[in-house]
Amino acid sequence: MSVLDGPREEWRRILHEGQPKWVRPHGDRLILGDGRVVADSEATYLPPCDPSKILCIHLNYESRRVEFRAPSIETPTYFQKPTTALNSHRGTLLRPAGHKYLNYEGEVAVIIGKPTRNVSREQAWDHIAGFAPANDVGCQDYRETDAGSMLRVKGQDGFCPIGPGIVSGVDIRKSTLRTYVNSKIVQEGAISEMLFPIDYIIADLSRFITLLPGDVILSGTPKNSRPMNPGDLVEVEVSELGRLSNRVAEAPAPANKVGHQPTDTDAVRRVALGSDWVRTEVR
């Protein structure tokens, strides 16, 4: 059965009595495999996957392409996040002191379900375990380094929250993604707006890279990625999948002043502020 076919099924993972446990949500409760019940409000969430790699597509929504006045794109490009970037529902997003541009990017995470190599677009759906809301957090203060790999922009610890759970039995192609900051909608885009659909991405990557169970593919963000501030509640909601919630806090600045330092230039602002920067420049 394809991941797109019903019935809908959701699994979440929490830390319970010192051990990771898979649970099923039921209203405001979480049901453990042995039948015990945990209140959702009291649960400590874990990411719903253990990836060997996190692969991400650069620019994949028409609205974002237009926002950046980018030319048409014939083939996608990709980057990676370290697995140490993994974070969870209700996990904290840390902006280091002295940094300004910690951007949200609401996305759909695709979690691979079985070894995947050289599959067709038609076969790709059968290799997916499920989907989850995700936030491809980026510290744009480092946009001018790492030659497009965005290692320091997107790879910092905790910069990949995923959850609350992993969902199958939903036709993700009919879903809509929304990002909220302090309960206000700041991003909205239909999944059908993707320039390169999920099945294309999997078929493309698996030509050369074996995707393993638990691996994550982040499938892009629509327009209006903007900076977050300490204290903000940032939520990514995907219809039929659920809503991922994270709070932003400030962390100490790096202890050692070595390597590329955060910058606040036109090039940085162009990405961090998107069309807001364009309007400022036109004035």
Side-chain angles (χ1 to χ4, degrees), residues 2-192:
S2 166
V3 70
L4 304 177
D5 300 325
R8 183 186 185 278
E9 185 174 6
E10 180 177 3
W11 288 92
R12 302 181 183 183
R13 194 167 61 156
I14 65 172
L15 184 65
H16 183 68
E17 296 179 344
Q19 296 181 339
K21 297 288 186 181
W22 288 100
V23 297
R24 288 179 181 247
H26 185 75
D28 60 358
R29 300 180 300 161
L30 303 173
I31 312 300
L32 279 76
D34 59 11
R36 288 179 295 167
V37 175
V38 177
D40 176 75
S41 60
E42 298 176 1
T44 298
Y45 275 86
L46 298 171
C49 52
D50 285 310
S52 70
K53 47 193 170 290
I54 303 170
L55 306 179
C56 318
I57 192 168
H58 270 114
L59 183 63
N60 199 31
Y61 276 74
E62 175 64 11
S63 62
R64 189 155 170 82
R65 185 194 69 79
V66 171
E67 180 180 34
F68 284 99
R69 302 178 179 178
S72 60
I73 304 171
E74 294 186 5
T75 58
T77 58
Y78 305 96
F79 63 97
Q80 292 192 66
K81 283 177 176 274
T83 56
T84 46
L86 205 61
N87 202 339
S88 62
H89 178 51
R90 299 183 189 150
T92 302
L93 303 175
L94 295 176
R95 189 185 76 179
H99 296 64
K100 296 175 62 175
Y101 301 114
L102 185 70
N103 278 47
Y104 56 77
E105 293 187 12
E107 307 205 6
V108 172
V110 182
I111 296 94
I112 299 298
K114 57 186 175 181
T116 302
R117 182 71 159 88
N118 245 347
V119 301
S120 67
R121 292 185 63 174
E122 292 75 18
Q123 294 169 325
W125 300 110
D126 296 327
H127 287 251
I128 298 172
F131 310 98
N135 192 343
D136 183 15
V137 177
C139 187
Q140 302 296 347
D141 306 63
Y142 291 97
R143 174 57 61 163
E144 295 180 313
T145 188
D146 293 334
S149 77
M150 297 197 289
L151 182 62
R152 281 170 282 193
V153 173
K154 296 291 189 75
Q156 296 184 33
D157 289 356
F159 274 19
C160 188
I162 297 175
I166 178 173
V167 178
S168 60
V170 167
D171 191 344
I172 193 66
R173 299 169 297 184
K174 299 177 182 178
S175 293
T176 298
L177 183 152
R178 297 179 180 88
T179 304
Y180 302 78
V181 175
N182 302 324
S183 300
K184 177 183 177 182
I185 294 180
V186 291
Q187 279 187 301
E188 184 170 15
I191 306 306
S192 59

Side-chain angles (χ1 to χ4, degrees), residues 243-264:
R243 186 183 287 210
L244 167 72
S245 298
N246 299 97
R247 184 76 66 176
V248 182
E250 184 171 88
N256 300 297
K257 199 165 187 177
V258 61
H260 187 89
Q261 297 301 302
T263 56
D264 186 3

Side-chain angles (χ1 to χ4, degrees), residues 196-216:
F196 303 100
I198 290 167
D199 56 317
Y200 179 106
I201 297 171
I202 292 175
D204 184 16
L205 290 172
S206 72
R207 291 183 300 154
F208 309 109
I209 301 169
T210 299
L211 306 175
L212 299 174
D215 282 355
V216 170

Side-chain angles (χ1 to χ4, degrees), residues 233-256:
L233 177 65
V234 182
E235 300 172 288
V236 179
E237 180 182 65
V238 180
S239 54
E240 302 299 321
L241 299 188
R243 186 183 287 210
L244 167 72
S245 298
N246 299 97
R247 184 76 66 176
V248 182
E250 184 171 88
N256 300 297

